[in-house]
Every structure is written in structure tokens, then in C-alpha cells.
């Protein structure tokens, strides 16, 4: 291969690159060359063929097959391109299914269902000739002010790791590759700002931010990793060889391909200031371990070629990455593909997609409070109020095709069905009169509609107020990439609207459609709280239908908070994984206690957790079994998320006051009980010691099961005995949960 042919394999080509804000600072980069110029030496990646404009999928597939044939037959080497797309909430293509946002995956606590969703997305990718999906996001949430929280799964690294790994397995079982992002530390941005510096110590990096990536690589077999835009303690990740090569490849054994986040290589010059020009930026990134520059070749083409020819960059570095890319293409079967038969028909939103979307939406909705007003029964007049009550956009996340791309193409239909909350309620309550009033907008200070909304609420038996966010990018919307917040109050005048409706005395149910948790103490624990509050994190195309079913009582809400519900913006950053000094005390007047803790969620039934059992002593190596009895103590069927927590009561470094060890979703009929057995590897209790090695120490461990991280409903203790155990990288870290027995209530005589 010539040098030009090698470099061509290390870059993407974005034929549809636009100045529209669908990638950070895309308008400041060089426009793409013509396709004829680009394919002269081949192409490594084709960037967002379906996901930049609303193109008819079948027509675009025929175009794509033709371009791949041109690469095979019209270039000297005949190497096809990898096609990559965004797949965070489903395939980001026109007319494709839109699933709940990842924060809702975390709320559902159901890895098996997320794996099914990943497989459905992977099938759509494969049918359209797409090979690599830019998901999942494995950033651990630290600060809800950060706009990209809706792309994340949870504030707990084990939840992020297990659910993210399930998504990887599902996607890749369809013969396509997942891309883990953003490696690493992106979500710890200073003040919750996008593209901000991060200040993470090596222990926090190892114990909180890295485990999800390691799990997805070791347990999920992820084939691609994308770097983070972050700089950690002054070192941009895109130039951090200690992370991208030393840790990722040498320690973890990753043998896939590392791709840059869009324009991240060029940002080493323009945003971080550690490179004098694009050529030096390319050298730094390539040496660190970034194999492929996306979305285009701003640094890895002419600037890098000049450095190679001047002797500043050894060509062996180029060869290293080219071999990785060619191996990936071989794994994907591209060298055997002929591209003779583009698809003739395809359904990107078939019955399976919708069934998964509906179930995931139902399982992700969290009941934060309820005075008995839910479920709604027998109401003849229902007031439906709020800017999100009849909005399809408010059901979808930032990386949905509708909010990511179609926002730049007003008037273009979504191309798939997405009933709003209003439409869901109309279908579910056909005999009730639905009185609709918008009240206000999501953003802005226009209060003119609040008076009419108050009148609507007074004339109804129950009021449902649907408020929250509008996802978008870079200042277009209230949450999403580049839409960071310095306040955690509901945007605009929505709080005033809610308070005015509650003040009417009509029982008021508040439904939150958001991409981040907001400070809701006034709504949940204030002097005039709402009758009930439902939290939905952008529940996707079936979200309106799912919410209607929950409001009616057809579905028992079973979501749990994957992130603490904050007290205020000033209490951030916060995590339930805090040491003693990270919690409230008498020596500070500031209170960081969340309004609702991690793991919290109510339902229309109740559960009891009893008889937690564990051996009195367990060795620091191996595993141990924890058993607990869970019982449905209410009068209707429901699903519980059984949460096992632990605390190392005295360790050589400070440890969290609570750490989720394992979890399991279990469905029970009224009066039914089950014995759950958690097989816990001691590596789940490992931490990074003073010597910066992962260890399990001997000592006392407190274990408990409860309805959230803050409640110890049933408690047991064990002692880890033996020598300090240094955890081997091959040791299992997954907690296996078995339902050992199910006892049904004895019928009354």
C-alpha cells in the first residue's frame, strides 16, 4: 500500500457534511472533497450516510451499494468502507424506530430487555449496510447540570456497566460493531459544562469511571472505542497514550479499533492548545492510540502525510492502525461482500421494535409520589395541561433522529408513529372529556396562558400537568449536547404553571418528560405538593401510550431512579457513592441530601424485603452467596427491583456509605414471595488501595436490601478473612442472581 492508500483507511468521509449543528464546531472545519477525489486512494469510513439528512432509506441504500461497488471495482485495492451511524436511541435514520433514551434504560434496571433492543437496532443497521454504531455511552453521571446526562445510563458504574454491556451484546450479535464512548472521564466536566476540563484523581478514575468500559470490553467483547473530548488534569484524552494504549490495549487486552470523537484530533490544536498545527495534532493522537479520525480527514490526510515524509512520524505507526482497520473490515465480512443486491424492502419500525420500545418505556417510568390519586379511575373530566402534553418531540432524546436532524428540516414528517401523551390518553379514556390547555412553553417567560390553564384545572376532576425538557443540540433546546444548565429548576415558567394548577385544589398529577433530573423538593416535599408525580426520562415512540397505561393503572410503575434526585444545583456534583464526609453533617449549613435517593421508585403495590442471609465469614478470594426474601404485600401484581447494597465499615482508604453490589428485577403476584440468591464475587467489593492497585481487604462488611440506597430494610453482616487479595484482571465481576423458590399465597378456605 502507498502512504496515501494507508492514510485513506484511517479517516472518514462525510459526503453530507453541513454547517447545521449536528456535530460540535462542524462549520469551522474544512468542507469535504468531492467523492471522486475522496475515493482515489480508498475510504476508511463513510460518515452518517443515513443520519445527516432525512433521506429515504431504500433510495439511500441503493446509493450506498453503488458507492461501495465503486470502491471495490474502481480503486486499486478494492477495499469497501465501514459505514457508521449514531445508534443511541435507535438507528438515527429517517423512519427508524426511536427507543427510550439511555437514562430510561438505567431506570428500567433490565439488561435483558436492553440486549433485545440492541439486537433490534443491530438488525436494522445490518439491513441498511451499516457496520458500526456509535453507542453505548458509558459515562457515569456526576452532575445533572451537564447537558449530555440524557445520553448516560446511571450514576452507578455497575449499573452502567451491566446495562451498557447488554446493549453491546445485543448490537454485535447481529454482525455489526458497537463503539464505547466517551473513553474516559467526559461526564466529570467542570461545573457540568460540555467540553470542560475534568479533575479526577487516579483512584476515582479507576473505581468509578473505568469499570463500565472494562466490563463492556471483557464481558461484552466490544470491538470499538471512541475517545472522550475531556482533558484530565491537563492531559487531553485524545493524546493520552497511558489510557488509549497502556490501559486499553496493554492491560485490558483490547484488540479492536479506537476512533476519534468528531474533530477531536483537530481539537488538540484548536481547543486544547497542545499542538501547534494539524500535523502535530495528528502525530499526538496517532501515537497515543487513535486509529481512525472521524468524521473526516482534517488531520490524518495531508498534515499527517507531510509529517511522515519529513521523518517526524515513523510509518510503522501508520501501519499499526491500518492493520487494525483492515482486521476490522475482515471481521465485518467486507472483503467478501459484492454489493450486488441492495435491499428491496425494509421496515425500520416493525412490530418487534415497537413491542420492545413499549415495554422499555413502561418499565422506565418512576413514580416519585402518590397520595392515592393514581391510578385514575372514573374521572369524567380530565384536564391535560402543559407544553409537553401534546408534543412528540418531548418524548425523544437529543440523539433521536427527530431532535438531532429533523429540527433543521421543519415540516418533514417523522416517518413513524409516535403518539403524544394526549393521544395516549384519548385512546385509553374514550369516555372521559379531555380538557386541554398548554399553559406555557418549555422555555421563555410568557405567562399569558397560565390563567386559562388554571380555569381548565378548576373545571376538571383531576389535572394532569405534563412539563419538562425539549432535547436539542448546542443551544437549541433545554437539554442535550451543548445544552448545559446553571440551574436545576424546571426551564422557563413551568414551575409557576404547576404551582398555579396545584393551588386550584384539583388533584394534580405532574408528569415530567425530561433528559435530566431536576430539583423538585417544592413539588414532592413542599407545603403544597402534587397529588402524584411521575418521572419519565424521554421514553421514546411508545412513551405516550405507556404513560397513559400507567396513569390508568393498566401498568404498575416499576422504574427506579438511576440517578439521585438533586436538592439544588448548588449541591452538585453529587453521587450516592460518597464517603462519610460527602454527606450532610452539623459542621456545614449546606445540605446535599437528595430529594429522592438513587434506586427510589414507588408503585401501585408494595414489597417487603426480609431475612437477609450471608455466611459469617467469607474469604477475600472467590465469591459468596447472599439470600433475601421479597414479598408482594399489596393487592395488585407488580415488579420489584431488588437492590443489594454493601458498605466496607473500615478500610485503608475512605469507602462509600453505600455501594450497589447487585440488582434483579422480579415480578410477583399479590401475596407471592420469592427467595433470591445473589452470587457475589469478592471483586465486587474491591477498590483501588494506596498503592493504586485493585484489592480486596479483610474486614467487616455490612450488607442490606431496601427500596433505595438510603433505606436499610433488612441487614446482615459478614467478615472478609484472609490476606489482602490483589484482584486479577481475569476475575469475574458480575453478580449472578437466581430465583431459588417462589411461594404463592395459600387460597382462603
Amino acid at each position: 500500500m502507498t502512504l496515501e492508500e494507508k492514510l485513506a483507511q484511517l479517516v472518514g468521509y462525510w459526503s453530507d457534511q453541513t454547517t447545521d449543528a449536528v456535530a460540535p464546531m462542524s462549520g469551522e472545519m474544512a468542507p469535504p472533497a468531492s467523492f471522486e477525489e475522496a475515493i482515489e486512494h480508498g475510504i476508511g469510513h463513510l460518515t452518517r450516510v443515513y443520519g445527516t439528512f432525512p433521506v429515504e432509506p431504500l433510495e439511500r441504500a441503493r446509493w450506498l451499494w453503488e458507492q461501495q461497488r465503486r470502491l471495490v471495482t474502481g480503486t486499486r485495492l478494492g477495499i469497501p468502507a465501514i459505514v457508521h451511524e449514531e445508534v443511541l436511541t435507535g438507528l438515527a435514520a429517517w423512519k427508524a424506530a426511536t427507543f427510550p433514551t439511555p437514562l430510561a434504560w438505567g431506570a428500567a434496571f433490565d439488561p435483558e430487555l436492553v440486549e433485545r433492543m440492541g439486537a433490534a437496532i443491530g438488525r436494522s443497521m445490518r439491513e441498511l449496510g451499516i457496520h458500526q454504531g456509535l453507542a453505548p455511552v458509558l459515562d457515569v453521571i456526576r452532575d445533572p447540570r451537564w447537558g449530555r446526562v440524557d445520553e448516560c445510563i446511571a450514576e452507578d458504574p455497575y449499573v452502567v456497566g451491566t446495562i451498557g454491556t447488554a446493549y453491546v451484546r445485543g448490537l454485535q450479535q447481529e454482525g455489526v460493531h458497537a463503539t464505547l464512548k466517551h473513553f474516559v472521564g467526559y461526564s466529570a466536566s467542570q461545573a457540568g459544562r460540555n467540553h470542560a476540563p475534568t479533575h479526577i484523581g487516579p483512584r476515582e478514575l479507576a473505581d468509578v469511571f473505568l469499570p463500565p468500559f472494562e466490563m463492556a470490553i471483557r464481558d461484552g467483547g466490544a470491538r470499538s472505542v471512541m475517545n472522550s473530548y475531556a482533558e484530565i488534569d491537563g492531559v487531553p484524552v485524545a493524546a493520552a497514550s497511558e489510557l488509549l494504549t497502556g490501559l486499553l490495549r496493554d492491560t485490558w487486552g483490547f484488540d479492536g479499533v479506537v476512533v476519534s470523537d468528531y474533530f477531536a484530533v483537530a481539537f488538540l490544536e484548536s481547543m486544547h492548545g497542545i499542538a501547534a498545527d494539524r500535523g502535530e495534532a495528528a502525530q499526538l493522537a496517532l501515537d497515543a492510540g487513535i486509529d481512525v479520525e472521524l468524521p473526516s480527514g482534517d488531520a490524518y490526510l495531508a498534515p499527517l502525510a507531510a509529517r511522515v515524509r519529513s521523518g517526524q512520524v515513523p510509518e510503522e505507526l501508520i501501519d499499526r492502525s491500518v492493520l487494525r482497520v483492515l482486521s476490522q473490515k475482515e471481521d465485518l465480512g467486507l472483503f467478501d461482500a459484492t454489493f450486488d443486491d441492495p435491499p428491496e424492502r425494509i421496515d425500520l419500525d416493525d412490530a418487534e421494535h415497537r413491542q420492545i420500545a413499549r415495554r422499555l418505556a413502561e418499565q422506565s417510568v418512576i413514580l416519585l409520589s402518590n397520595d392515592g390519586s393514581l391510578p385514575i379511575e372514573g374521572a369524567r373530566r380530565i384536564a391535560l395541561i402543559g407544553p409537553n402534553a401534546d408534543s412528540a418531540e418531548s418524548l425523544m432524546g437529543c440523539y433521536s433522529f427527530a431532535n438531532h436532524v429533523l429540527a433543521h428540516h421543519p415540516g418533514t414528517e417523522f416517518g413513524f408513529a409516535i403518539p403524544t401523551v394526549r393521544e395516549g390518553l384519548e385512546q385509553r379514556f374514550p369516555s372521559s372529556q379531555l380538557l386541554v390547555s398548554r399553559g406555557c412553553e418549555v422555555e421563555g417567560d410568557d405567562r399569558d396562558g397560565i390563567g386559562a390553564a388554571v380555569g381548565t384545572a378548576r373545571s376538571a376532576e383531576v389535572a394532569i400537568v405534563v412539563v419538562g425538557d425539549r432535547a436539542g443540540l448546542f443551544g437549541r433546546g433545554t437539554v442535550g449536547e451543548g445544552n448545559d444548565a446553571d440551574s436545576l429548576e424546571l426551564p422557563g415558567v413551568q414551575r409557576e404553571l404547576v404551582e398555579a394548577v396545584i393551588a386550584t385544589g384539583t388533584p394534580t398529577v405532574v408528569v415530567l418528560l425530561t433528559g435530566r433530573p431536576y430539583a423538585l423538593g417544592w413539588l414532592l416535599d413542599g407545603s403544597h405538593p402534587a397529588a402524584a408525580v411521575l418521572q419519565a426520562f424521554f421514553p421514546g415512540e411508545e412513551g405516550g401510550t405507556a404513560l397513559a397505561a400507567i396513569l390508568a393503572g393498566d401498568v404498575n410503575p416499576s422504574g427506579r431512579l438511576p440517578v439521585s434526585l438533586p436538592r439544588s444545583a448548588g449541591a452538585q456534583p453529587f453521587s450516592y457513592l460518597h464517603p462519610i464526609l460527602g454527606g450532610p453533617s452539623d459542621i456545614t449549613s449546606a445540605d446535599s441530601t437528595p430529594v429522592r435517593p438513587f434506586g427510589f421508585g414507588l408503585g401501585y403495590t408494595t414489597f417487603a424485603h426480609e431475612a437477609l442471609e450471608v455466611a459469617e465469614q467469607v474469604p477475600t478470594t472467590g465469591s459468596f452467596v447472599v439470600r433475601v426474601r421479597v414479598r408482594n404485600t399489596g393487592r395488585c401484581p407488580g415488579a420489584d427491583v431488588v437492590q443489594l447494597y454493601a458498605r466496607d465499615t473500615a478500610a485503608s482508604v475512605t469507602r462509600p456509605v453505600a455501594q450497589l453490589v447487585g440488582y434483579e428485577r422480579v415480578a410477583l403476584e399479590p401475596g407471592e414471595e420469592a427467595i433470591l440468591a445473589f452470587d457475589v464475587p469478592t471483586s465486587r467489593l474491591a477498590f483501588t488501595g494506596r498503592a493504586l492497585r485493585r484489592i480486596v481487604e479483610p474486614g467487616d462488611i455490612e450488607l442490606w436490601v431496601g427500596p433505595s440506597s438510603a433505606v436499610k430494610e433488612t441487614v446482615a453482616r459478614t467478615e472478609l478473612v484472609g490476606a489482602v487479595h490483589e484482584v486479577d484482571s481475569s476475575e469475574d465481576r458480575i453478580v449472578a442472581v437466581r430465583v431459588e423458590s417462589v411461594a404463592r399465597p395459600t387460597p382462603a378456605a
Side-chain angles (χ1 to χ4, degrees):
M1 297 175 74
T2 66
L3 177 61
E4 284 72 19
E5 288 170 335
K6 292 176 183 178
L7 293 176
Q9 293 300 312
L10 302 186
V11 299
Y13 177 72
W14 197 355
S15 63
D16 298 325
Q17 185 173 337
T18 172
T19 57
D20 289 342
V22 296
M25 302 176 68
S26 60
E28 299 182 21
M29 299 298 165
S34 69
F35 195 78
E36 285 67 27
E37 293 175 293
I39 68 170
E40 179 182 359
H41 303 293
I43 291 177
H45 274 243
L46 284 169
T47 294
R48 297 184 68 170
V49 167
Y50 297 92
T52 306
F53 289 103
V55 292
E56 176 61 46
L58 286 178
E59 291 179 9
R60 194 60 164 177
R62 287 191 286 271
W63 176 89
L64 175 59
W65 261 248
E66 178 184 348
Q67 307 318 313
Q68 292 281 36
R69 281 196 300 271
R70 290 178 66 184
L71 285 169
V72 171
T73 62
T75 62
R76 187 176 76 88
L77 298 177
I79 302 174
I82 291 171
V83 180
H84 74 260
E85 287 290 355
E86 300 287 357
V87 292
L88 190 68
T89 63
L91 175 59
W94 193 34
K95 301 185 178 182
T98 298
F99 294 95
T101 203
L103 198 52
W105 311 354
F109 281 86
D110 192 342
E112 291 182 5
L113 184 57
V114 170
E115 184 171 340
R116 285 186 58 203
M117 177 188 67
I121 296 169
R123 173 166 55 85
S124 294
M125 291 171 59
R126 177 172 45 78
E127 290 171 345
L128 284 179
I130 302 164
H131 312 104
Q132 185 167 337
L134 304 187
V137 170
L138 300 183
D139 295 301
V140 177
I141 296 169
R142 287 312 238 192
D143 192 332
R145 294 176 297 179
W146 191 48
R148 304 193 76 168
V149 164
D150 87 286
E151 300 178 47
C152 303
I153 295 169
E155 72 179 55
D156 179 87
Y158 185 70
V159 174
V160 176
T162 50
I163 292 176
T165 297
Y167 179 88
V168 169
R169 286 198 187 107
L171 198 77
Q172 294 193 163
Q173 76 182 39
E174 293 297 325
V176 296
H177 287 178
T179 303
L180 312 181
K181 58 185 193 180
H182 308 88
F183 186 78
V184 62
Y186 191 28
S187 56
S189 58
Q190 185 173 291
R193 292 188 296 109
N194 199 36
H195 284 226
T198 64
H199 307 285
I200 308 171
R203 183 170 293 105
E204 184 181 9
L205 186 69
D207 290 351
V208 175
F209 293 98
L210 288 172
F213 291 94
E214 185 177 7
M215 291 170 69
I217 289 168
R218 292 190 185 277
D219 304 324
R223 301 305 300 144
S224 180
V225 173
M226 174 180 279
N227 76 283
S228 156
Y229 286 131
E231 57 184 62
I232 302 175
D233 195 24
V235 179
V237 175
S241 59
E242 62 272 25
L243 291 172
L244 298 177
T245 298
L247 178 67
L248 190 62
R249 295 191 184 278
D250 298 342
T251 301
W252 291 354
F254 176 70
D255 62 356
V257 174
V258 177
V259 301
S260 78
D261 205 343
Y262 281 17
F263 308 117
V265 178
F267 288 168
L268 292 175
E269 174 199 5
S270 61
M271 299 290 285
H272 298 288
I274 68 166
D277 52 35
R278 296 288 166 84
E280 186 178 7
Q283 181 175 352
L284 289 170
L286 186 70
D287 183 63
I290 291 182
D291 300 306
V292 176
E293 182 187 14
L294 297 182
S296 50
D298 295 277
Y300 273 21
L301 289 177
L304 183 54
R307 289 230 158 197
V308 173
R309 290 198 167 94
S310 70
Q312 294 170 285
V313 175
E315 195 160 350
E316 290 79 8
L317 273 183
I318 308 292
D319 295 343
R320 181 182 70 176
S321 291
V322 171
L323 286 172
R324 291 169 182 165
V325 171
L326 295 179
S327 294
Q328 183 186 21
K329 291 187 174 186
E330 184 177 30
D331 290 345
L332 290 164
L334 286 174
F335 292 127
D336 298 322
T338 59
F339 301 101
D340 291 331
D341 299 307
E344 295 182 359
R345 63 182 63 85
I346 189 170
D347 188 346
L348 301 177
D349 188 34
D350 61 20
E352 182 187 14
H353 286 88
R354 299 204 70 93
Q355 189 272 336
I356 295 170
R358 172 74 178 268
R359 186 177 171 198
L360 187 53
E362 291 173 347
Q363 291 187 177
S364 69
V365 175
I366 306 154
L367 182 60
L368 296 176
S369 69
N370 187 18
D371 67 0
S373 296
L374 289 182
I376 296 171
E377 298 175 348
R380 292 171 297 172
R381 295 184 308 282
I382 301 173
L384 181 61
I385 296 167
N388 285 345
D390 198 23
S391 164
E393 290 87 350
S394 67
L395 298 168
M396 296 179 282
C398 165
Y399 267 76
S400 66
F401 188 80
N403 288 330
H404 202 80
V405 176
L406 290 186
H408 298 287
H409 303 274
T412 304
E413 296 180 354
F414 293 143
F416 61 93
I418 178 166
T420 65
V421 175
R422 174 181 180 171
E423 290 167 332
L425 289 170
E426 286 175 338
Q427 182 177 7
R428 179 54 188 81
F429 293 96
S431 301
S432 300
Q433 184 181 7
L434 208 60
L435 311 172
V436 181
S437 181
R438 190 172 182 83
C440 67
E441 300 301 321
V442 170
E443 299 180 88
D445 57 4
D446 187 351
R447 298 168 174 82
D448 290 347
I450 293 179
V454 166
T456 300
R458 286 194 174 120
S459 65
E461 298 163 59
V462 62
I464 301 171
V465 187
V466 189
V467 292
D469 278 318
R470 188 62 49 83
L473 286 87
F474 311 118
R476 177 174 43 80
T478 60
V479 73
E481 184 174 2
N483 288 326
D484 312 310
D486 55 14
S487 167
L488 290 178
E489 291 292 333
L490 285 173
V493 296
Q494 292 182 88
R495 175 172 174 172
E496 293 181 38
L497 171 66
V498 173
E499 289 181 323
V501 174
I502 292 173
T504 65
T506 300
T508 300
V509 177
V510 178
V511 176
L512 296 144
L513 293 173
T514 72
R516 62 162 58 92
Y518 281 99
L520 301 174
W522 59 275
L523 182 59
L524 295 165
D525 303 326
S527 57
H528 296 90
V533 179
L534 285 168
Q535 171 69 64
F537 293 116
F538 294 145
E541 65 182 26
E542 286 288 332
T545 306
L547 281 164
I550 288 171
L551 289 164
D554 303 332
V555 172
N556 192 339
S558 59
R560 302 291 185 266
L561 281 173
V563 59
S564 305
L565 203 62
R567 181 163 300 278
S568 67
Q572 303 309 306
F574 175 86
S575 168
Y576 91 96
L577 288 165
H578 63 75
I580 294 172
L581 285 184
S585 72
D586 294 336
I587 54 176
T588 174
S589 59
D591 186 3
S592 59
T593 306
V595 174
R596 293 289 187 272
F598 173 86
F600 179 90
L602 303 174
Y604 300 150
T605 189
T606 54
F607 295 93
H609 308 97
E610 304 163 323
L612 191 67
E613 296 179 356
V614 66
E616 291 184 2
Q617 291 186 330
V618 298
T620 52
T621 59
S623 63
F624 58 97
V625 177
V626 183
R627 289 181 173 84
V628 67
R629 182 169 66 239
V630 56
R631 182 161 44 92
N632 185 338
T633 55
R635 291 183 287 184
C636 67
D640 185 29
V641 177
V642 183
Q643 305 164 50
L644 174 64
Y645 292 92
R647 180 189 171 212
D648 191 337
T649 59
S652 57
V653 300
T654 60
R655 301 295 297 134
V657 295
Q659 175 192 350
L660 183 70
V661 171
Y663 63 90
E664 182 71 6
R665 174 178 276 271
V666 58
L668 296 172
E669 295 294 320
E672 194 173 42
E673 64 181 42
I675 304 295
L676 270 62
F678 292 78
D679 291 322
V680 183
T682 57
S683 58
R684 282 294 297 125
L685 304 174
F687 59 89
T688 301
R690 294 192 178 190
L692 297 183
R693 295 188 179 92
R694 294 278 292 172
I695 58 172
V696 178
E697 281 186 341
D700 292 332
I701 302 294
E702 181 185 29
L703 297 156
W704 70 92
V705 170
S708 73
S709 60
V711 179
K712 300 178 180 180
E713 190 174 353
T714 178
V715 180
R717 288 172 173 80
T718 190
E719 181 187 8
L720 294 174
V721 296
V724 173
H725 170 57
E726 186 170 335
V727 176
D728 185 87
S729 60
S730 64
E731 290 185 41
D732 188 17
R733 290 136 297 164
I734 304 298
V735 176
V737 187
R738 308 185 309 275
V739 179
E740 289 193 331
S741 66
V742 176
R744 292 173 173 79
T746 303

